[in-house]
Each structure stands twice: as C-alpha cells, then as structure tokens.
Amino acid sequence: MALAPAADTRPIPIVELEFVNAPIADIVVAIASAAGVAIVVDDTVSGYASYYFDPMPFDVALEAFARRFGLFVSRDNGVYTVTAALISFVDDALTIDAPSVDSAALVRAISRASRTPIVHAFAAGMPVSLFTDGASVEEALRRIAAQLPDAEIAFRDGVYRIAPVRPAPDHAWRTPPVTVDAAGFSVNTERASFVDLLTALFVAGEREYHLLKRSNPMIGPVRVNRRSFDDALRLIVERADASFTVVDGVYYIADATPHAALARSIVTEVIVLRSIAPAVLLDLLPPDQTTDVTIRADRTDDRLTITGNPMSVARIGDLVDLLDVPPAGRGYHRFDLETIDPTQLHALLPRHLAGLPITAVSSSRIVVLTTAERADELRRFLSAIDLPIASTLIELEYIRLDQLIANLHSATDRMAIVPTGDPSRFFFRGDDAELLRFRTRLKHIDRPLPQIRYQLLVIEYKQGRTLDWDASLSNALKTPDSTQAFLAVLGNLLSLSFDIVSTFGYQFAVRLNSSLSDASATVLADTTISGTSGRQVSFQNTSTYRYRDPVIDPETGVTRPTGVVREITSGLTLQIEGWAGASDSVTMDVVATVSRRGSEGVAKGNPPPTSEKVVRTHIRTTAGTPVILSGLIQSETDSSSRETPLLGRIPVLGWLFRGMVRSRESTELAVYIVPYVDRDRTDRLGVEQQMLDVLDSFNRSATADTR
C-alpha cells in the first residue's frame, strides 16, 4: 500500500496517537498519513500491536516503532519502505535478515528479489526466521523448509517448490536421546523434532528455558559426545536455525539472531537511584527511548522498575548511569533543540561553556548537569543560534501547487514547501532572506496565462457557392449613410454576434446577407469561446440518431425490431488549441470535423450511410485577423423508397403504389475564426447599441470602398 503526498516535502511531526490491538501495517500507514509522507508497507509485515506515540518527529516515531517490532525502514526519493524481511541479491547470493516472518510472504519476497519462480504449498500464517549472508536461493529455501513441519523442496523445469511430505510415524525413543555423566552431555538421535530434543536436553540438565521460536522443525541426525550443556544446546539450536541467550539463569530460545531473541523476551530490572529523584529522571528521558519499555517510579525509596526486552532495558540502564551522578551543588537541566544536531553542539559552544557535561539523550534533546547560572548562560546561547525555521503561509493566485513545484529549479525551494489541503495555499519554511528570494522567483512563475477569445462563425453554402471577402461588389451602395439602406441590405446579419462588417467589410456582409435571404447559405454556428493560452477549447454542434436493428421472423417472415440499438452522430466538431505570442500573435492548431447522415435505408428501418470530412491545420495570425477554413465539400446522393400501406405489397399492381425518391445535394462548409488576446469585454451591450455599432462600421467601410 502506498500514500501519495509529495515525496520532497518534510514530514510533519505527529501528534499524540494511541492504537489498541491494531494491525501493524495499518499503524505504520496511519502515522505516515498523519505526517503527510508517502510510504510502502510490503506483505511481510503482519501481526497486531498496541502502541502509544508521544508528540515527536515522524522519523523518530517510525524508527522507534520499527525497532520495537523488528521491522526495517528505508527511504528512497522521499518514499519510505517498511518491511519485516531485509533482502539483497548480489552476484547470485542472498543476504537475508528476516526474524519471524510468515513463510509464504518470505518466499514471495525471495522470489521477487532473486527473480526466481518459487511455489509455496503451505498455508499462510506459519512464521519462520531466516538469516543468511551470501547464500544461494536453494540454500535459503532449504533453511525455510527446515522450519516447516515435514517440508521438502524440489526443483523442476526451472521452478522451486516447497511442499509438505508424508508425515513420519510417531517416534518412540528406544534409547534416551540425551544422556549426562561426569564428563558432560551426549546427544544421539537419527531424527527428532526440535522441541522433543530440546525438552530432553533441559530435563537432563535440570535447567529452565523459555521457547520463543514458533516453528518445530524435524532435525537429525544429531551426534554430540560429552560436551558442556551450553555447547550441546548450541549445536542443537543451530540445526533448527535458532539461537539462545541467558538472562538471570533462564535460557531464552528464539530465532537465529540474538537481537530477535532479546527483542521478544521480557525482563524486569529494578534500579535504585543514588542522586536524582525519579520524577526528575523520567522528565529527562526522551520519549523515543522509552516507547518499548514500561517504567514505574517508586518515590518512597527512589527506585525505578523497568520492564521490557533485555536490550531496551539495558539501554535505559545506561542512560540512568549517565544521569544519576552526584550533583555537588549542580542540577539537571533539559534542553530541547529545534535545528541543531546534539552531536555537533560541542563544536559550537563558546570557551566559557565548552566544559559543560552535555548528555545527548535523543536526536533533539540534551541533558546538562550544571549550576542554574551556567544553565541560564547555555539557554541564552542556544536561543541565539538554535532558531526555529519560520513558516509563512503563501497563497497562489493563478497556478496550482503542483504546477509551481514542477517549475521550481531549486531543490532547496522544493524542500522548503509544506503543502496544505488547498492546492492554492502552502507554507514556506525559511528565514526572511530566503522568503524574499523565493517571493522574487514566485513573481515570475505565478503569473496569469494570456486569455484568448475565439469568435467563431460556421456557414454552410449550398451548390458549392462560397463568398470571397476580397471580391468587389458590382452594385455599390448609393447612400451609405442611409439607415433604411442598411436595414435592407444587412437585416439578416443583425442577429449574429459575429461582427461581419468590421471583420470582412460591408461588401462581404451584403453578399452574405443575400445568401442567407435566398437560403443558399445557412449559419451553423455563431459563438464565442474563451480559454487560456496553451489550452484546448472545443465546439460541438451535432445530432445523434438511434436505430434499432431489424430481424426477420423465420416462421412468419415479418420484420420486427430487436433490442440492439445503434447510434449515428452527425454535425460539426471543432477543436482549437492556441498560444499567445509576442506582439499579440496567435498560433493555432485547428481540427474541424464534419459528418453527415444520409437518408437511404431509413424508410426500411436500416441505419443510413454516413460520411465524414476532417481538416487539420497549424496557422499563425495576428490577434483580430480572421482565419478561414474552407474546402469541406460534401456531395450526397440520397435515395429513399415510399409505398402506400397494403396496396404497395400487391404483386405486379403494387408498382403503381410504390416510388423511389432520389436527391443530390452539394454543400461546402466554411469556418471563420477571429482570435483576440486579453480583450474580453466586461459590459454587455443592448440590442439597440449593437445595431448602432454595426451601422457605424458599415458606413465607414462603405464610404472607404466607394472612394
């Protein structure tokens, strides 16, 4: 599973979180989601846990949680990966660190890492542990099979297979497998289960053990002759891919690494404090060091009771030894750092503070045993150099956050951006100088794209008649200033929003008006479309026809409709993608598609034929200068049959009541496009004002032409 916030952003510190008996994988995903980072949890992570998180940085919380439950964390390109099996495959050799992982998930992980096909025939939920350094794939699989009940591996046709074998008959000891004498312990068996042999050894040695290993593999033969108890035990557990450690006389037996054994055993240690009060010590301990232990403070006799795995308890004990020092007039003082690395603090201290005993208890906290006066000096010094990084809320005006990040060439600027839930708002983390530089760069990125307004006029001319707007008019207008003449000559153009007169001149307007009057031209589209530079706009004026497929009944011969419906779309589709350049130039990619539906077959219920013409062009023009697309000529011959009901089906005589209608029509489509850059009109003129504007343009154009 994966989450997708921006991988380059810094994790947000998590707040107080508590999980009770929740899936471990879900806990990891939940804290990553709270921190706003991307994370991948593979299928080797399983099990349930109860866990409490203090408010802390995400990296610290994830590391502490992973260490508590034996997980491995890596980070690549800002994406975290959490797994329970650390696997590398180099030069045909496997290096694996996998404590207590489901066998099926581990086999899948090995198969992915080595690119080797492996079939695992055991049910899920059977944990195994595997630790190798340079092992082959077959050797690793054999070690896994040794931990599964009666398992064997086979290799055939390039595929490994791990499957159970027929269970062996119940074993009855003919002779005791473990004997003991003055010289030591002896073990002699051909084949036995790990638990049976372990029990026999500890019974003979009269020792106490705690088994943390879940699997019970069959091992053998085992030959041990007069060895010490620990040597005999070590030889047995190594055959079962296990290990042991001794804590307070109790043997803890778990998977092959001491770390796994210690991490899963529970011990309790009582520490008596000499010089520091329990409440003061608990306040000094960092939260990330105490997440996997339980500490109880007894204030009556200054004791701490620490419960957890031996490694964690030992770590807390070491911290207590560092802090529990006789003060001699000094006291403990805690300092939480914002930006300074505690390990680098000594190199930054002035001379009068260089000798302070500073203990780094976490990646962001130090404890200093000193006097109150010296602590105040250190606090003043840290307040001057350990300055928190300021966060400033910035709002974008014209672009989104993802567009801003894509246009930032500085990796520092990208890392300083903390996104919010709003794509137009984010936080910038940096000082005043960095913020000023960032705002300067932002002014050149967060700018409005030029707006392009396209005026469209699409006219269909019949019988191949088109208008040339450069042609002259033979009958000149005698009184260009006459309003009546204007209404008579251009009356059909008043309803158009396209400014014909200003764009093409009054001669073209007069001829177009005449064509509209005698129906030799039809306006298919008269509209205005606006869009930003570099974005595609589209216009569609189509009709959709639906037809049901007919079928002939084989028994009656009657044609009846079926449930199959077909659709035919015809009309005009226009797509324009324009870029505004310097000096108001506009470059456009234009695609015009015209489809036409015929009428042949409609009378019989069959879908008619269709035709389609497409024009593609790449053109550059100046804003306000028209572009004309023509040549979309279609010549259609339609035929349809008609008949009088009933009479048309009479043999021979029926011809008198049937007829065939054929028609031929030629049309040409002309598309007129006028682009404008950033000239949107904010006011909408009334009809009367529009007529006056057109009349004024008409008179100016007519006067110029007559001269």
Side-chain angles (χ1 to χ4, degrees), residues 381-447:
F381 173 74
L382 292 178
S383 64
I385 65 170
D386 187 32
L387 298 177
I389 300 177
S391 296
T392 304
L393 180 63
I394 297 179
E395 297 185 0
L396 299 173
E397 294 187 34
Y398 304 105
I399 63 176
R400 301 189 308 270
L401 179 59
D402 58 333
Q403 296 173 323
L404 171 63
I405 295 176
N407 285 278
L408 287 175
H409 301 292
S410 172
T412 303
D413 287 344
R414 289 195 297 268
M415 295 181 63
I417 291 177
V418 180
T420 65
D422 187 346
S424 64
R425 308 176 71 191
F426 65 93
F427 287 96
F428 180 83
R429 303 181 73 243
D431 55 28
D432 293 341
E434 293 171 335
L435 178 61
L436 180 60
R437 289 194 295 269
F438 180 79
R439 287 190 181 276
T440 302
R441 288 189 288 268
L442 184 61
K443 289 180 180 178
H444 299 283
I445 300 176
D446 187 23
R447 301 178 63 182

Side-chain angles (χ1 to χ4, degrees), residues 1-79:
M1 62 190 74
L3 304 177
D8 291 337
T9 59
R10 297 179 181 178
I12 302 172
I14 65 171
V15 297
E16 184 180 33
L17 297 172
E18 183 175 10
F19 300 89
V20 178
N21 197 28
I24 293 178
D26 292 353
I27 295 176
V28 174
V29 172
I31 65 171
S33 177
V37 301
I39 198 163
V40 177
V41 183
D42 68 12
D43 58 353
T44 62
V45 179
S46 61
Y48 291 78
S50 297
Y51 203 82
Y52 174 81
F53 291 93
D54 278 317
M56 65 180 71
F58 169 77
D59 290 336
V60 176
L62 182 60
E63 180 182 357
F65 183 83
R67 184 172 60 247
R68 170 67 178 85
F69 294 99
L71 304 178
F72 303 95
V73 180
S74 61
R75 184 180 181 183
D76 186 19
N77 293 328
V79 179

Side-chain angles (χ1 to χ4, degrees), residues 260-273:
L262 292 174
R264 288 162 175 78
S265 60
I266 302 298
V267 299
T268 299
E269 182 177 352
V270 178
I271 300 178
V272 179
L273 303 177

Side-chain angles (χ1 to χ4, degrees), residues 294-590:
T294 301
I295 303 177
R296 295 190 300 272
D298 189 347
R299 292 175 173 78
T300 58
D301 50 5
D302 293 337
R303 292 192 309 173
L304 290 181
T305 302
I306 308 172
T307 303
N309 64 72
M311 294 181 64
S312 299
V313 171
R315 183 179 66 250
I316 297 299
D318 293 340
L319 285 177
V320 172
D321 291 340
L322 291 174
L323 300 175
D324 191 21
V325 178
R330 298 172 296 172
Y332 285 100
H333 301 271
R334 185 187 73 185
F335 298 86
D336 291 321
L337 304 178
E338 293 283 346
T339 59
I340 299 177
D341 185 353
T343 60
Q344 305 296 325
L345 182 58
H346 274 291
L348 303 176
L349 292 177
R351 289 185 178 181
H352 67 284
L353 297 177
L356 289 178
I358 298 177
T359 302
V361 295
S362 75
S363 60
S364 60
R365 178 177 293 183
I366 61 173
V367 175
V368 182
L369 180 62
T370 185
T371 62
E373 292 78 7
R374 299 270 284 177
D376 290 339
E377 293 181 15
L378 178 60
R379 186 171 287 106
R380 287 192 296 269
F381 173 74
L382 292 178
S383 64
I385 65 170
D386 187 32
L387 298 177
I389 300 177
S391 296
T392 304
L393 180 63
I394 297 179
E395 297 185 0
L396 299 173
E397 294 187 34
Y398 304 105
I399 63 176
R400 301 189 308 270
L401 179 59
D402 58 333
Q403 296 173 323
L404 171 63
I405 295 176
N407 285 278
L408 287 175
H409 301 292
S410 172
T412 303
D413 287 344
R414 289 195 297 268
M415 295 181 63
I417 291 177
V418 180
T420 65
D422 187 346
S424 64
R425 308 176 71 191
F426 65 93
F427 287 96
F428 180 83
R429 303 181 73 243
D431 55 28
D432 293 341
E434 293 171 335
L435 178 61
L436 180 60
R437 289 194 295 269
F438 180 79
R439 287 190 181 276
T440 302
R441 288 189 288 268
L442 184 61
K443 289 180 180 178
H444 299 283
I445 300 176
D446 187 23
R447 301 178 63 182
L449 291 174
Q451 296 283 334
I452 303 178
R453 178 168 51 93
Y454 306 92
Q455 282 194 345
L456 303 178
L457 179 64
V458 182
I459 301 177
E460 182 182 61
Y461 299 97
K462 295 182 180 180
Q463 299 178 354
R465 296 180 58 185
T466 58
L467 298 183
D468 184 359
W469 63 283
D470 287 328
S472 61
L473 182 63
S474 58
N475 297 324
L477 187 65
K478 296 182 179 179
T479 56
D481 57 341
S482 171
T483 304
Q484 286 115 354
F486 164 74
L487 293 175
V489 175
L490 299 182
N492 291 319
L493 305 183
L494 296 181
S495 61
L496 299 180
S497 61
F498 197 99
D499 191 353
I500 303 294
V501 177
S502 298
T503 304
F504 300 112
Y506 88 98
Q507 296 180 359
F508 177 88
V510 170
R511 297 189 63 187
L512 177 58
N513 182 81
S514 176
S515 298
L516 295 176
S517 298
D518 60 16
S520 61
T522 304
V523 176
L524 298 184
D526 173 35
T527 185
T528 300
I529 304 176
S530 298
T532 56
S533 177
R535 300 299 175 89
Q536 186 183 88
V537 296
S538 61
F539 172 81
Q540 182 173 350
N541 184 9
T542 59
S543 300
T544 301
Y545 305 90
R546 296 177 176 85
Y547 302 91
R548 299 181 65 180
D549 282 355
V551 65
I552 299 177
D553 193 323
E555 296 181 356
T556 62
V558 178
T559 302
R560 56 183 178 82
T562 65
V564 179
V565 179
R566 299 188 184 185
E567 291 186 352
I568 294 178
T569 301
S570 65
L572 170 68
T573 301
L574 193 64
Q575 295 179 339
I576 307 173
E577 185 173 355
W579 298 269
S583 302
D584 282 343
S585 65
V586 179
T587 304
M588 295 182 291
D589 283 333
V590 183

